[in-house]
Amino acid sequence: MAITAALVKELREKTGIGMMKCKEALKEADGDIEVAIANLRKAGAAVAAKKAGREATEGKVFFATSGTQTAAVEVFCETEPTSGNADYIAFGEGAAKNAAESSLADVDAVLASPLNGTTVQEELNVLVGRITENIGIKRVALVSEEGGALATYSHMGGKIGVIVKLKYSGVASDQSSIVAVAKDLSMQVAATAPIAVRSEEVSQDTIAKEREIYVELARKAGTKEEYIDRQIEGKLKKFLKEVCLAEQMFIKDTKKPVADLLKETAVANGVENLEIEQFIRFELGK
């Protein structure tokens, strides 16, 4: 596979490593950027690189709520001025409203839904023709508030959009305080980019890849083989605590686990089994 300047630039943006090292890594990986990233990490030259290929560099995540349904719709574009364009914003808000009102959870369904006497797809076609940029809907998420409370959070002018849903049993004495906790946790999701709610939800493939990297680094550091497994288990436990929202420390009080925050909130509001049911995190380009 040809190693293009664009491919080298993409790897550099994802890892922060110099252009020459990136070019060498891509040559060794036969142009496979994910293999190149893994090899660089094993060599200790780069930390975790989690960015995926970008469809566009700009855009916004739009939210809308209808009844118990809250929708998040990511609309990408090419330039920052377009993300502030009134027509672009009206389109994104309309698409999100359709998703919430009609319980639409995928891109094709939203594009086919009616908008301004035509469809979202036709409105998009007109918008692209008017602005002359690549604009589109990348993904859609739909979360129901039933059985709990949820909050949304928009960060960096809409470049990161988060929904966090908490569920519980019983009747809350102060629903707004539970919503406030969901809001705090949505800010935490935006900042820490967890990959799962709990460690048991992390795929075995992800764990296996982390283990492989840790083993390579341990061997390069001269760790004796008989000590590697014990060392790796400790690193994996630390990794899972960092990437699982329910197992993280609370971002507003780093001495308090999120689990303790939820227990305290449940007691204060007279509910039981307060826990994180799910979160949605959309970040442009990921």
Side-chain angles (χ1 to χ4, degrees):
M1 179 177 177
I3 310 302
T4 64
L7 196 61
V8 174
K9 182 182 177 184
E10 182 181 354
L11 182 58
R12 185 180 186 282
E13 288 175 348
K14 290 184 175 185
T15 62
I17 294 171
M19 298 290 279
M20 290 306 297
K21 282 188 175 293
C22 286
K23 187 173 183 179
E24 290 170 7
L26 285 165
K27 284 182 177 178
E28 291 174 2
D30 195 27
D32 188 316
I33 197 164
E34 295 304 324
V35 171
I37 289 169
N39 288 344
L40 286 167
R41 288 190 63 200
K42 290 174 185 178
V47 296
K50 300 176 181 177
K51 291 184 179 180
R54 297 172 183 265
E55 287 192 48
T57 58
E58 297 295 339
K60 285 183 183 294
V61 179
F62 294 89
F63 296 110
T65 298
S66 178
T68 61
Q69 303 288 333
T70 294
V73 176
E74 180 184 342
V75 183
F76 62 82
C77 61
E78 293 182 39
T79 65
E80 190 168 359
T82 293
S83 68
N85 177 280
D87 291 337
Y88 167 88
I89 291 171
F91 170 79
E93 290 174 344
K97 183 181 178 184
N98 277 17
E101 289 181 345
S102 301
S103 298
L104 307 176
D106 67 80
V107 174
D108 289 341
V110 172
L111 289 172
S113 65
L115 183 64
N116 299 332
T118 178
T119 65
V120 171
Q121 179 66 71
E122 288 302 317
E123 284 288 296
L124 176 59
N125 294 343
V126 171
L127 184 65
V128 169
R130 184 183 304 138
I131 297 178
T132 66
E133 279 193 15
N134 180 23
I135 303 169
I137 298 175
K138 180 176 181 179
R139 49 191 167 177
V140 177
L142 192 68
V143 180
S144 172
E145 190 179 7
E146 289 184 5
L150 65 77
T152 64
Y153 178 62
S154 181
H155 186 56
M156 295 176 64
K159 292 182 180 180
I160 297 176
V162 177
I163 304 176
V164 169
K165 162 78 179 291
L166 303 180
K167 69 175 182 178
Y168 58 84
S169 54
V171 178
S173 58
D174 183 7
Q175 177 79 351
S176 65
S177 69
I178 297 180
V179 172
V181 170
K183 187 75 169 183
D184 284 341
L185 291 176
S186 67
M187 294 178 186
Q188 178 153 336
V189 169
T192 64
I195 62 174
V197 174
R198 300 167 192 84
S199 57
E200 57 265 28
E201 298 169 9
V202 179
S203 73
Q204 290 303 306
D205 283 347
T206 296
I207 293 173
K209 286 178 182 177
E210 289 299 313
R211 182 186 294 276
E212 180 183 354
I213 289 166
Y214 294 149
V215 167
E216 289 291 330
L217 291 174
R219 285 173 177 160
K220 287 183 180 297
T223 304
K224 292 182 178 180
E225 288 293 326
E226 59 265 34
Y227 298 134
I228 287 180
D229 284 345
R230 186 187 306 171
Q231 185 183 95
I232 297 317
E233 289 309 311
K235 287 183 177 292
L236 285 173
K237 286 180 180 179
K238 184 174 183 292
F239 166 75
L240 290 171
K241 282 187 176 182
E242 290 173 348
V243 300
C244 297
L245 179 59
E247 297 167 27
Q248 291 178 344
M249 303 303 286
F250 183 36
I251 199 168
K252 286 190 171 182
D253 181 354
T254 55
K255 294 182 180 180
K256 178 185 293 186
V258 167
D260 288 356
L261 170 69
L262 295 174
K263 288 176 184 176
E264 292 171 5
T265 304
V267 170
N269 288 276
V271 299
E272 296 180 348
N273 306 316
L274 179 63
E275 61 183 26
I276 303 163
E277 181 173 278
Q278 68 178 120
F279 69 83
I280 303 296
R281 185 183 190 275
F282 288 170
E283 180 176 353
L284 290 172
K286 297 188 73 171

